[in-house]
Amino acid sequence: KPDEWLPFGSAATIDLWTRWTSGNTGLPLVDAAMTELAETGYCSNRVRQNAASVLTKDVRIDWRAGAEYFQFLLGDHCVGANWGNWMYFSGVGSDPKNRHFRTVSQALRYDRNGAYVKAWLPKIAQLEGEESHLRPWDFC
């Protein structure tokens, strides 16, 4: 699938990469995951999958960059599990399915009240509105 990924040297790709790694994608569940990862060296498997989905399916950056980034930051890093999960989720290797999470739906299912997102993203916690943690662009 390398032909589907953006070239890594362009200014646009570097901007997308920087926004993903710094937790500034505009998708609260992913931004909370990347913030938690940077601050603690951990994030749950569910949010890891959402972060992988955004990087590889939406931003279209090569999964190996994400795997290396997680390898660098994860305190519970296991080479086989990390790289295997990134391959699996990215649709390369022995099980090439298209796994594309809808992160707003994932947040609704797994963080319905926004406790996780609000814990890691203080700006979201300040927004008023029952669904502000799902789609903050509607509440700003």
Side-chain angles (χ1 to χ4, degrees):
K1 309 235 181 208
D3 58 325
E4 296 179 6
W5 295 309
L6 298 174
F8 202 72
S10 73
T13 304
I14 291 170
D15 178 60
L16 291 168
W17 170 258
T18 302
R19 288 175 44 206
W20 181 79
T21 58
S22 63
N24 287 303
T25 66
L27 297 166
L29 187 64
V30 173
D31 292 347
M34 299 308 290
T35 301
E36 180 184 20
L37 177 63
E39 291 184 17
T40 69
Y42 176 81
C43 60
S44 74
N45 188 55
R46 175 61 51 188
V47 296
R48 290 179 197 193
Q49 291 176 335
N50 276 273
S53 178
V54 167
L55 184 70
T56 61
K57 307 299 184 193
D58 298 313
V59 178
R60 294 182 26 234
I61 289 179
D62 191 326
W63 66 274
R64 293 170 289 198
E68 284 188 29
Y69 186 73
F70 271 55
Q71 178 176 328
F72 179 72
L73 290 178
L74 284 172
D76 65 347
H77 178 259
C78 167
V79 173
N82 182 54
W83 285 78
N85 284 335
W86 274 92
M87 286 178 66
Y88 172 82
F89 202 80
S90 299
V92 300
S94 61
D95 188 17
K97 293 181 182 172
N98 183 16
R99 293 173 179 83
H100 189 180
F101 279 15
R102 294 178 183 98
T103 58
V104 174
S105 297
Q106 289 281 303
L108 184 59
R109 179 177 286 161
Y110 296 104
D111 191 28
R112 179 174 286 283
N113 296 322
Y116 174 75
V117 166
K118 291 174 182 177
W120 292 105
L121 302 176
K123 290 179 184 176
I124 299 290
Q126 295 172 4
L127 295 177
E128 294 185 24
E130 189 174 320
E131 295 185 347
S132 62
H133 67 288
L134 299 173
R135 44 191 178 81
W137 49 87
D138 285 340
F139 293 89
C140 294

